[in-house]
């Protein structure tokens, strides 16, 4: 199995690096965009071209593999996860950042087999940050092994979260409640506008936990395995097992911190992917 995963990984990595050049052409921002589910859920031609480059390349090489791609789903493709090898792709995670020229956006590619992530690639070409992981082989930033922080308690933790890309009233209410709670309870809070970059930061040990209600499978598939291979945990924000299609995620440097955060948070349950 690990030989097979190496083959999938090597091929995907070259494609991701090539597609990264499409992002680099607009590293200072991209003024043309369209709206999707809300006025802050946006897409550019670059998102579409990156996704096409990846899916065309991967499907030619691995004809039986399945795909869940953010922009394909936006265009009507079904978001179905089976036991088959499935590439879960966010062509530009942090599209709003990308549009503004805020340098926290990346390509996020995960491969699941039997519904479990076996490899993950998060590539921010603007800052030249390449996070990778393969099942059982550790997590890496630019080829150097990374590990999560040793933080176990919320009052010592730096916590990342996001305002998200929907203006749903109830979701915003829960988000503001949690923001207030965390500002009072933990060391500090951060929001950078990309789920994948947030998860990469937890894997790196830079932040201690990240949670969000309302993300999608493509935002978190690669981050899930990168955090776990760096020694962290990925769970449902209520404390139960991670469910990639639930649109809910909590990852942390330790199970203790994850559970403490889970019991502290107000919960929101979006419609599933
Ligand atoms: C979004 C980003 C953002 C998060 C949203 C995601 P996109 O992804 O990861 O940080 O808050 O929930 O949808 O739309 O830029 O690919
Ligand atoms: Ca995206």
């Amino acid at each position: 199995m690990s030989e097979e995963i190496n083959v999938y990984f090597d091929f995907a990595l070259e494609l991701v690096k090539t597609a990264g050049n499409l992002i680099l052409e607009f590293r200072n921002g991209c003024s043309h965009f369209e709206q999707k589910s809300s006025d802050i859920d946006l897409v550019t031609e670059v998102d579409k071209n990156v996704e096409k480059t990846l899916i065309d390349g991967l499907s030619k090489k691995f004809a039986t593999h399945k795909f869940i791609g953010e922009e394909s789903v936006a265009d009507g493709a079904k978001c179905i996860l089976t036991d088959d090898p499935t590439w879960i792709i966010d062509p530009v995670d942090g599209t709003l950042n990308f549009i503004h020229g805020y340098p926290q956006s990346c390509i996020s590619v995960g491969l699941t087999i039997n519904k479990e992530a076996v490899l993950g690639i998060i590539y921010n070409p603007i800052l030249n940050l390449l996070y990778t992981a393969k099942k059982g082989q550790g997590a890496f930033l630019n080829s150097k092994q990374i590990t999560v922080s040793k933080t176990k308690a919320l009052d010592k933790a730096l916590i990342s979260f996001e305002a998200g890309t929907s203006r749903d009233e109830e979701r915003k209410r829960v988000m503001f409640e949690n923001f207030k709670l965390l500002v009072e309870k933990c060391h500090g809070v951060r929001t950078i506008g990309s789920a994948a970059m947030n998860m990469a930061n937890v894997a790196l040990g830079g932040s201690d936990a990240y949670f969000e209600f309302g993300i999608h499978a493509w935002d978190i598939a690669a981050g899930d395995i990168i955090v776990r291979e760096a020694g962290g945990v990925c769970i449902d924000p209520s404390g139960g097992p991670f469910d990639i299609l639930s649109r809910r995620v909590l990852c942390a440097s330790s199970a203790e911190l994850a559970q403490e955060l889970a019991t502290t948070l107000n919960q929101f349950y979006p419609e599933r992917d």
Side-chain angles (χ1 to χ4, degrees):
M1 175 71 140
S2 76
E3 227 0 84
E4 226 173 287
I5 292 172
N6 286 342
V7 171
Y8 301 151
F9 177 86
D10 291 346
F11 187 79
L13 184 58
E14 284 317 303
L15 268 180
V16 166
K17 285 181 178 168
T18 304
N21 292 324
L22 298 169
I23 292 179
L24 279 177
E25 281 178 40
F26 293 88
R27 62 186 312 150
N28 296 318
C30 178
S31 52
H32 297 284
F33 53 86
E34 291 161 34
Q35 284 185 22
K36 296 194 290 183
S37 64
S38 79
D39 65 323
I40 48 171
D41 181 17
L42 307 174
V43 62
T44 70
E45 281 305 309
V46 176
D47 297 63
K48 293 179 186 175
N49 291 340
V50 170
E51 184 158 321
K52 186 171 167 12
T53 303
L54 297 175
I55 295 184
D56 283 357
L58 289 165
S59 57
K60 264 189 209 121
K61 178 82 176 170
F62 308 117
T64 59
H65 289 192
K66 306 276 186 347
F67 294 88
I68 297 175
E70 176 173 13
E71 306 316 334
S72 310
V73 171
D75 284 344
K78 291 265 176 291
C79 181
I80 297 172
L81 185 63
T82 66
D83 287 343
D84 294 337
T86 304
W87 295 91
I88 304 184
I89 299 173
D90 190 336
V92 181
D93 185 55
T95 298
L96 202 64
N97 287 344
F98 173 68
I99 286 168
H100 285 264
Y102 184 79
Q104 295 288 347
S105 32
C106 58
I107 298 174
S108 173
V109 175
L111 174 68
T112 59
I113 298 180
N114 297 324
K115 301 192 181 73
E116 183 204 0
V118 295
L119 71 82
I121 301 171
I122 292 175
Y123 180 42
N124 175 339
I126 304 161
L127 300 180
N128 190 30
L129 301 172
L130 175 65
Y131 293 89
T132 57
K134 290 180 262 183
K135 187 178 174 180
Q137 299 184 45
F140 297 83
L141 166 57
N142 295 344
S143 304
K144 207 173 150 210
Q145 190 154 12
I146 52 174
T147 54
V148 293
S149 76
K150 296 193 169 32
T151 307
K152 290 196 164 48
L154 193 57
D155 64 354
K156 298 285 182 300
L158 187 63
I159 307 290
S160 310
F161 74 103
E162 291 296 332
T165 52
S166 117
R167 296 195 196 268
D168 178 273
E169 286 303 326
E170 174 61 6
R171 200 188 66 86
K172 277 192 296 184
R173 191 191 62 73
V174 170
M175 199 254 304
F176 290 137
E177 285 288 317
N178 286 331
F179 183 34
K180 186 168 178 290
L181 265 174
L182 292 173
V183 166
E184 280 161 3
K185 282 194 179 212
C186 64
H187 248 182
V189 293
R190 298 289 182 268
T191 163
I192 57 168
S194 158
M197 295 306 300
N198 276 312
M199 294 180 89
N201 282 337
V202 172
L204 179 66
S207 97
D208 302 307
Y210 156 71
F211 71 93
E212 187 168 344
F213 306 116
I215 37 74
H216 293 273
W218 44 82
D219 298 311
I220 54 177
D224 166 38
I225 183 164
I226 293 174
V227 167
R228 288 187 290 105
E229 286 294 328
V233 297
C234 207
I235 63 168
D236 181 83
S238 67
F242 175 64
D243 172 354
I244 195 168
L245 298 179
S246 69
R247 304 192 55 207
R248 295 161 47 88
V249 69
L250 190 166
C251 65
S253 52
S254 64
E256 292 90 331
L257 177 61
Q259 290 301 331
E260 189 183 356
L261 181 56
T263 51
T264 303
L265 291 174
N266 292 285
Q267 301 289 324
F268 179 72
Y269 291 84
E271 197 179 321
R272 293 172 61 77
D273 267 332

